[in-house]
Amino acid sequence: MRKWLWAAALAVGLGAAGADARTVRWSASGDPNTMDPHSQNLGTVTMVLQQIYDALISRTQDLGLAPGLATRWEQQEPTRWRFWLREGVKFHEGQAFTADDVVFSVTRAQQPTSNYGIFVDTIDRAVQVEPLVVDIITRVPDPILPNKIASLMIMSRSWAEQHNATRPQNTRQREEMHTTRNTNGTGAFRLASREPDVRTVLARNNDWWGWNEPASREANITEIVYRPISSDATRIAALLSGEIDFVLDPPLQDLNRLRQAQNIRVLEGPEVRTIFLAMDVHRDRLLYSDVTDRNPFKDLRVRRALYHAIDIQAIHRTVMRGQSVVTGTFFPPQVNGYSREEDVRLPFDANRARALLAEAGYPNGFGFTLDCPNNRYINDEQICQAIVAMWARIGVRAQLNAMPLGPFFAKIQREDTSMYLLGWGVPTLDALYSFQSLLRTRDGGQGNGIWNYGRYSNPHMDQLIDIMVNQSGQARNNAIREALRIYREDVPHIPLHHQMIPWAMRANFQIPHMANNQPYFRWARMN
Amino acid sequence: MFAFILSRILQALPVMFTVALISFAMFAYVGDPVAIMLGQDYTQAQRDALVAELGLDQPFWVQFATFVVNAAQGEFGLSYRLSRPVAELIAERAPATLELAFTAAGIALLVGVPMGVYTGLYRNSWLSRFFLTFSLVGVSLPTFLIGILLILVFAVWLGWLPSFGRGDTVRIGFWTTGFLTVSGLKALILPAITLGLFQLTLIMRLVRAEMLEVLRTDYIKFARARGLPNRVVHFGHALKNTLVPVITMVGLQLGAIIAFAIVTETVFQWPGMGLLFIQSVGAADIPVMSAYLLLIALVFVTINLIVDLLYYAVDPRLRIGRGKGGH
């Protein structure tokens, strides 16, 4: 009898394996804060939600645009885009997908409680033309609308209304919203269970429209188990011991060990994120400096001297261990508007730096404080330490003030800083986003200079940025090119490098590396 | 008796109030929750609206008064980070921390007391010396290092035990327990040892010292003179008398285990209150942090009260002293 039971149990076990269940166990340091697709625009949130929700336009493996819930789209007038929607798509809970869901999702992302405002900032309204045709009307001509629409996840109107979730979470509410822990998308995976901070399980949606696309034909993942592990050492131990198949954010100091480990593969690729130094070029006197009668950073010669003094190759080699792409500009080649000719650094030349400083009236250098995060970007604090040492060689006495990201961002957002290190990602993959947020004069306009904490202000640059906002085609491209040239000559920042992002996984798991640091399990395979 | 409890509770109130005030004042330095909630893109108007919505534009004393009034009603609001009620979050995480803490305390007691007795009785045996050396390791190595070492040996090299998480849990009413599944028990072993090791060595050393002390007393000599067997003398008379201070200390240390499980929970990704607290610090999630600190203060105050009551019950001298009143 007992023997028979064992045989039955074995048969059940084999049966499950026979149905070809491929589970990938995945980890990273942080857990998504919410399951709401329009609430928090954070990498840790979208890395899970984009498996569940589709957008009208989807991304290809090199971050290009491809049909998603819309099969084609066209700019019919300067301010009107038309999208033809895919037929026969159903949400995970069975509702049919129609143009009305698009209208609803655009409106929902426009609510003040949404973090996704940048993707709909130029949109006036969305209008249903036919059940499967929708128009998006913009207030100004927006040449990069499709790039933004690719980040707008589509929800079901009837489902959201049924669960009283027509707006993203408002912090003053005392009640938890249905969408904080529940989803209903059209995507390749559906949410099977969720315990915040512990375990999130996604199951394959066999009805997904994209399984027959060429990129997904070889995909075979049926279940994704995401378990966050915040301690670096434990996360790597779990990968080495085989409890985890895939780690999205392995710590750099462990990479060499991981490369040598059996059955572990490290996948490296560029990220759309550039690290640079920005400084106070606005105040008449710096807040943190031993120069009390003027602001040395207002002098172009000083900015150039500090730039010349940085041996970026040494940082690339020793601090980043080869995992960076040195740059002379402030967004990487994946971003629309990038120009190879304008991506040129001021050469490392300590003598030239000393001469420039002397010329500017600081033959013996000067002192100031450099604010630096110590847990936000890869090796952020070590980069700052190296730079402080390089400046010391030309007589500049920079004092390093390294701190965790919470206090760091609070400090620079109060503009309580003289110089700071920042890493900038470009979710829209268009140059305008970087120019407008980082270099536009802060005049209160939507998005203008919201991360320009050194208060850089250049009327010519502002003009060019306004052209980027309002015009398209060659005029726009020329404006971007011209603005990049000004960036090189006027040194509003000291650019350092584009970050590289390593992913670590067991050798039997395959997934394409993505520059937006988001895994797409619809293209993944477990052998 | 009732007056005694009442006076203790009245003494506890200022303690709780002070903890609330100090922790609330500290939150000004953990970072700006608004910046973290708004993300990378926002306008000044959105920022001002959120600041007003959270009441952060109010003066410090107004914010603090609102907090105290709400806290007194058990209302801690919504977590900034997770958009869920704080009380619910903490209730969800408490079982994991409590199971871990009690298991760690249990291991510390069950292993520490016998080791202490042994080292007290056989001071010069090689095993005693080994235990004492080993206890030095337990006292001096930091918790996170012990945790990492255990993970390296038992999860990575030997592959016997899981390196993180709580395994499968069973839900009984509001309580989730890992005691009823094999994976839950396996997941409990390494974190419980890590958390309990320090207490274990502490208990061992305390029991040893007490044993040495008690074995020198007259009533032990008298018992031996009566010709009682060693077993009765050691366990019936000596150990019983050493346990009073041990129990007191274990009670007090239990509070410490619950409060300082933070490090162990972080190393093992144990989904308890400590991990919740650490993650909240990273996100400047003030409602969760203040609720957690108040809860820990409450745990300490309660345990102190219970220990005082135990003294009252155990030590006859206390009662007599009070009974005589005017003495």
Side-chain angles (χ1 to χ4, degrees):
Chain A
M1 180 64 185
R2 177 170 282 184
K3 215 172 204 174
W4 184 85
L5 273 178
W6 274 115
L10 204 64
V12 170
L14 285 176
D20 208 22
R22 305 284 180 146
T23 300
V24 57
R25 297 157 303 167
W26 160 40
S27 186
S29 55
D31 199 56
N33 298 344
T34 177
M35 290 284 111
D36 191 302
H38 303 135
S39 176
Q40 305 241 328
N41 181 18
L42 293 169
T44 42
V45 174
T46 47
M47 73 185 181
V48 170
L49 286 182
Q50 52 93 351
Q51 322 291 342
I52 300 171
Y53 286 98
D54 286 321
L56 290 182
I57 298 173
S58 65
R59 293 265 176 214
T60 60
Q61 296 187 5
D62 53 6
L63 295 182
L65 301 179
L69 287 176
T71 49
R72 64 192 176 96
W73 56 93
E74 202 178 273
Q75 188 170 16
Q76 297 201 318
E77 289 163 27
T79 58
R80 193 164 60 86
W81 288 78
R82 176 158 290 185
F83 294 82
W84 286 269
L85 306 183
R86 197 176 287 277
E87 281 177 46
V89 174
K90 283 202 178 341
F91 286 93
H92 296 154
E93 292 186 10
Q95 300 88 341
F97 161 69
T98 67
D100 190 41
D101 296 318
V102 178
V103 174
F104 170 74
S105 299
V106 168
T107 318
R108 192 172 190 269
Q110 285 176 317
Q111 300 298 318
T113 50
S114 164
N115 236 210
Y116 285 73
I118 51 155
F119 300 119
V120 292
D121 57 351
T122 55
I123 296 179
D124 179 46
R125 63 187 191 280
V127 183
Q128 172 170 343
V129 182
E130 282 171 42
L132 288 178
V133 180
V134 68
D135 275 1
I136 291 182
I137 320 280
T138 57
R139 284 193 307 270
V140 287
D142 185 355
I144 57 159
L145 185 78
N147 262 303
K148 297 176 179 173
I149 286 297
S151 296
L152 176 68
M153 293 181 258
I154 302 296
M155 287 176 88
S156 156
R157 179 196 286 272
S158 60
W159 180 76
E161 282 175 352
Q162 182 192 337
H163 291 103
N164 200 14
T166 51
R167 289 154 180 259
Q169 180 85 41
N170 175 339
T171 45
R172 209 189 298 167
Q173 276 170 302
R174 294 287 181 199
E175 301 284 306
E176 177 185 343
M177 279 193 29
H178 190 70
T179 47
T180 305
R181 275 190 289 169
N182 297 280
T183 66
N184 181 27
T186 56
F189 294 87
R190 59 184 169 75
L191 186 64
S193 72
R194 166 138 172 97
E195 286 173 73
D197 285 333
V198 179
R199 186 195 316 253
T200 303
V201 182
L202 309 182
R204 178 181 160 113
N205 170 20
N206 284 322
D207 300 329
W208 185 53
W209 52 268
W211 289 123
N212 285 323
E213 306 272 312
S216 294
R217 255 177 235 152
E218 297 290 305
N220 68 351
I221 303 299
T222 55
E223 188 187 41
I224 306 167
V225 180
Y226 177 73
R227 299 172 74 187
I229 306 179
S230 51
S231 152
D232 283 347
T234 313
R235 195 160 64 249
I236 293 309
L239 179 70
L240 290 171
S241 68
E243 292 163 83
I244 291 291
D245 300 308
F246 172 42
V247 171
L248 188 67
D249 51 358
L252 276 201
Q253 68 269 19
D254 287 325
L255 286 182
N256 274 332
R257 191 158 69 102
L258 286 175
R259 284 197 197 96
Q260 281 153 18
Q262 278 190 322
N263 294 327
I264 304 285
R265 189 151 41 101
V266 178
L267 213 58
E268 268 137 339
E271 188 195 5
V272 184
R273 184 176 295 283
T274 307
I275 311 292
F276 58 85
L277 299 168
M279 60 220 114
D280 178 356
V281 289
H282 173 72
R283 288 190 179 89
D284 289 329
R285 280 174 293 276
L286 289 178
L287 291 179
Y288 302 97
S289 172
D290 55 10
V291 181
T292 47
D293 57 337
R294 56 197 154 150
N295 177 349
F297 296 146
K298 281 189 159 185
D299 189 330
L300 175 63
R301 290 168 297 191
V302 173
R303 300 202 295 270
R304 285 178 158 254
L306 295 178
Y307 195 160
H308 273 301
I310 293 176
D311 181 358
I312 194 72
Q313 292 303 334
I315 295 177
H316 170 72
R317 242 184 357 258
T318 54
V319 179
M320 303 306 291
R321 304 179 206 198
Q323 297 307 308
S324 66
V325 180
V326 168
T327 184
T329 189
F330 70 123
F331 50 80
Q334 295 90 340
V335 174
N336 177 41
Y338 173 83
S339 159
R340 174 74 52 201
E341 292 77 44
E342 301 300 338
D343 187 355
V344 182
R345 287 185 66 84
L346 290 184
F348 166 53
D349 185 345
N351 290 329
R352 177 100 189 88
R354 276 187 215 103
L356 279 168
L357 273 186
E359 211 178 297
Y362 307 96
N364 301 316
F366 62 99
F368 63 91
T369 302
L370 169 63
D371 294 316
C372 188
N374 62 14
N375 61 353
R376 175 63 187 88
Y377 312 110
I378 295 180
N379 290 343
D380 38 15
E381 186 179 357
Q382 291 92 319
I383 295 170
C384 289
Q385 282 167 346
I387 289 174
V388 166
M390 288 165 187
W391 282 339
R393 280 184 234 150
I394 60 162
V396 169
R397 300 170 297 278
Q399 220 170 25
L400 177 56
N401 178 24
M403 59 199 132
L405 66 102
F408 171 78
F409 283 114
K411 188 168 190 284
I412 66 166
Q413 290 182 345
R414 286 195 306 268
E415 296 179 15
D416 179 20
T417 180
S418 293
M419 184 179 288
Y420 56 96
L421 178 120
L422 194 66
W424 187 253
V426 193
T428 57
L429 294 180
D430 183 86
L432 169 64
Y433 181 73
S434 297
F435 276 111
Q436 195 177 17
S437 312
L438 296 172
L439 296 176
R440 180 73 166 77
T441 304
R442 294 179 91 171
D443 56 6
Q446 167 94 34
N448 283 350
I450 51 173
W451 281 76
N452 180 2
Y453 300 121
R455 293 230 170 201
Y456 175 75
S457 176
N458 178 340
H460 190 192
M461 180 68 93
D462 290 350
Q463 263 174 10
L464 293 168
I465 293 172
D466 291 343
I467 295 176
M468 292 180 216
V469 172
N470 294 316
Q471 298 189 23
S472 55
Q474 199 53 45
R476 186 172 196 271
N477 291 343
N478 290 342
I480 295 177
R481 183 74 187 266
E482 174 67 8
L484 281 174
R485 194 187 57 74
I486 296 178
Y487 183 86
R488 264 177 69 193
E489 284 173 2
D490 207 25
V491 195
H493 301 151
I494 299 174
L496 299 172
H497 55 243
H498 311 305
Q499 215 166 250
M500 297 275 275
I501 284 283
W503 293 0
M505 60 199 79
R506 298 197 68 79
N508 59 350
F509 178 64
Q510 289 169 355
I511 189 163
H513 188 283
M514 296 290 289
N516 60 0
N517 202 27
Q518 299 266 310
Y520 287 75
F521 290 95
R522 67 193 68 160
W523 301 321
R525 192 171 166 78
M526 179 75 91
N527 294 318
Chain B
M1 183 71 175
F2 178 73
F4 175 70
I5 294 177
L6 194 70
S7 76
R8 282 301 171 143
I9 290 175
L10 286 180
Q11 283 170 16
L13 283 178
V15 173
M16 299 289 291
F17 185 80
T18 315
V19 169
L21 182 62
I22 293 176
S23 56
F24 206 78
M26 276 184 344
F27 293 145
Y29 300 98
V30 295
D32 183 1
V34 177
I36 294 167
M37 290 164 82
L38 281 172
Q40 203 170 272
D41 314 280
Y42 57 86
T43 59
Q44 191 59 39
Q46 275 172 324
R47 189 186 161 85
D48 296 344
L50 187 61
V51 165
E53 195 176 300
L54 297 175
L56 297 176
D57 52 347
Q58 307 281 336
F60 176 82
W61 289 107
V62 177
Q63 288 187 44
F64 181 63
T66 319
F67 168 74
V68 169
V69 169
N70 285 336
Q73 300 162 352
E75 170 64 73
F76 291 97
L78 222 54
S79 154
Y80 295 166
R81 182 173 71 96
L82 296 166
S83 313
R84 298 179 55 201
V86 172
E88 192 183 310
L89 279 174
I90 288 185
E92 212 173 84
R93 303 303 189 86
T97 297
L98 292 179
E99 286 191 355
L100 177 62
F102 279 102
T103 311
I107 291 178
L109 262 184
L110 293 179
V111 180
V113 171
M115 274 167 71
V117 171
Y118 183 85
T119 49
L121 292 180
Y122 309 102
R123 260 173 295 171
N124 296 319
S125 82
W126 64 269
L127 195 58
S128 293
R129 293 202 179 129
F130 170 75
F131 282 161
L132 284 174
T133 319
F134 161 80
S135 77
L136 268 184
V137 174
V139 171
S140 53
L141 274 189
T143 313
F144 71 89
L145 196 61
I146 295 172
I148 298 277
L149 282 176
L150 290 177
I151 289 176
L152 185 67
V153 174
F154 292 98
V156 178
W157 289 351
L158 297 172
W160 291 350
L161 296 169
S163 56
F164 74 102
R166 209 183 161 202
D168 296 320
T169 52
V170 177
R171 176 174 286 273
I172 303 168
F174 69 92
W175 192 272
T176 55
T177 179
F179 285 144
L180 299 176
T181 62
V182 176
S183 70
L185 288 173
K186 278 171 90 175
L188 190 57
I189 297 173
L190 294 185
I193 291 177
T194 307
L195 185 58
L197 196 62
F198 178 78
Q199 319 294 336
L200 186 156
T201 50
L202 207 64
I203 289 172
M204 184 194 111
R205 286 181 162 251
L206 184 69
V207 170
R208 175 174 177 272
E210 289 288 328
M211 278 299 269
L212 292 176
E213 186 80 28
V214 170
L215 285 175
R216 279 199 294 269
T217 54
D218 288 344
Y219 71 88
I220 296 293
K221 286 182 189 148
F222 188 69
R224 287 195 199 282
R226 272 174 65 201
L228 293 178
N230 268 346
R231 190 177 51 81
V232 176
V233 175
H234 292 158
F235 295 98
H237 296 273
L239 181 61
K240 217 170 167 184
N241 281 291
T242 62
L243 282 187
V244 178
V246 171
I247 288 170
T248 317
M249 201 204 63
V250 169
L252 288 176
Q253 287 291 324
L254 189 64
I257 288 185
I258 295 173
F260 303 126
I262 292 179
V263 176
T264 309
E265 290 188 0
T266 310
V267 170
F268 288 94
Q269 192 69 24
W270 188 263
M273 296 186 291
L275 189 63
L276 178 70
F277 179 72
I278 283 291
Q279 285 162 338
S280 304
V281 171
D285 194 345
I286 293 172
V288 177
M289 286 191 284
S290 44
Y292 176 80
L293 290 178
L294 272 188
L295 183 74
I296 292 301
L298 185 68
V299 167
F300 270 99
V301 165
T302 314
I303 288 179
N304 268 315
L305 179 66
I306 293 173
V307 167
D308 280 346
L309 289 177
L310 279 180
Y311 267 155
Y312 198 78
V314 167
D315 196 334
R317 283 168 297 184
L318 258 174
R319 265 171 293 174
I320 293 163
R322 284 195 169 241
K324 280 187 179 168
H327 155 72

